[in-house]
Amino acid sequence: MDDDVARILLHREQIQARVRTLAAEIAAGYAHHERGLTIVPILAGSIIFLADLIRELPMKMKIAVVQLSTYPGRSVTAGEPRILMELAGDVRDRHVLIVDDILDTGRTLRHVQEMIRRREPASLQTAVFLRKPGKAPPDLRVDFVGFDIEDLFVVGYGLDFGDLYRNYPHIGVLRAELMP
Ligand code: 5GP
Ligand code: MG
């Protein structure tokens, strides 16, 4: 995988340190209502972030996954989000924290936030590992952000290209000749 990556934007040590401080921010935010927390990870991109993040959170929680598809196959431009797996678990009257890998245009998060709001949670917040500048509408609320990055297509730490590179431990940019 190393040979396929042109540039590393974030090293695993940097990522680990930030996930720890982010978890502390989130834990502080939920200190007053730590009962009834449900984490809603958006599969599959959030899996590595999710695993690292929730082990740094000291409170009890349930996990209710959803799966969407925005980047069909090997494309790097987003289409309309499509639900592949419905929310597993009831979020009504629970404090819900959506966890996603990256905020780009915001279409994915908008879709999931609306789906959860319709189910009347006690509260709803969103945490993303990465955020790209500028493309998401200003009214889309994201409460916790790991890193702001340049507007580049990145892989690693859960993020894929053609379903590969999710296990790459850093956040990197692929060599141009590998991209369509
Ligand atoms: P949005 O709906 O905000 O445009 O895109 C969010 C989803 O698109 C993310 O959950 C992620 O799966 C995918 N995505 C957006 N930007 C990137 C990127 O730079 N790299 C990868 N691998 N996926 C991305
Ligand atoms: Mg995703």
Side-chain angles (χ1 to χ4, degrees):
M1 286 188 294
D2 280 322
D3 293 343
D4 294 354
V5 172
R7 180 151 78 95
I8 291 178
L9 292 189
L10 299 166
H11 278 89
R12 72 192 296 174
E13 293 77 19
Q14 248 178 305
I15 294 171
Q16 264 145 27
R18 178 59 185 136
V19 170
R20 232 170 271 134
T21 59
L22 189 64
E25 289 170 34
I26 292 171
Y30 280 98
H32 57 290
H33 50 45
E34 78 167 57
R35 277 152 173 268
L37 176 63
T38 295
I39 305 273
V40 175
I42 304 179
L43 299 183
S46 70
I47 54 172
I48 312 281
F49 176 45
L50 174 78
D52 283 350
L53 181 73
I54 63 177
R55 285 178 295 171
E56 299 291 332
L57 293 173
M59 56 278 210
K60 285 186 195 168
M61 64 179 65
K62 295 185 179 181
I63 298 175
V65 302
V66 285
Q67 187 170 14
L68 273 90
S69 160
T70 26
Y71 284 45
R74 292 167 67 79
S75 96
V76 293
T77 42
E80 268 311 299
R82 208 158 48 86
I83 297 221
L84 298 179
M85 185 161 70
E86 259 289 338
L87 186 64
D90 190 13
V91 296
R92 198 187 164 83
D93 294 327
R94 311 254 326 153
H95 294 286
V96 173
L97 177 68
I98 298 171
V99 172
D100 202 10
D101 51 359
I102 186 163
L103 171 63
D104 184 17
T105 66
R107 269 183 287 199
T108 305
L109 279 174
R110 168 90 76 203
H111 201 75
V112 175
Q113 286 180 352
E114 278 169 6
M115 176 179 80
I116 289 173
R117 250 184 232 115
R118 283 197 295 272
R119 292 163 196 233
E120 302 179 336
S123 68
L124 178 59
Q125 295 201 99
T126 300
V128 293
F129 173 58
L130 300 175
R131 177 170 63 187
K132 291 188 195 173
K135 283 193 273 175
D139 65 316
L140 184 88
R141 203 172 127 199
V142 171
D143 306 275
F144 305 98
V145 178
F147 295 95
D148 281 302
I149 61 163
E150 297 163 62
D151 190 8
L152 295 167
F153 189 84
V154 294
V155 297
Y157 201 69
L159 291 122
D160 74 304
F161 174 59
D163 229 12
L164 295 171
Y165 307 103
R166 291 195 199 277
N167 60 319
Y168 186 65
H170 319 289
I171 288 289
V173 180
L174 291 175
R175 291 197 348 251
E177 57 270 36
L178 296 169
M179 310 281 284

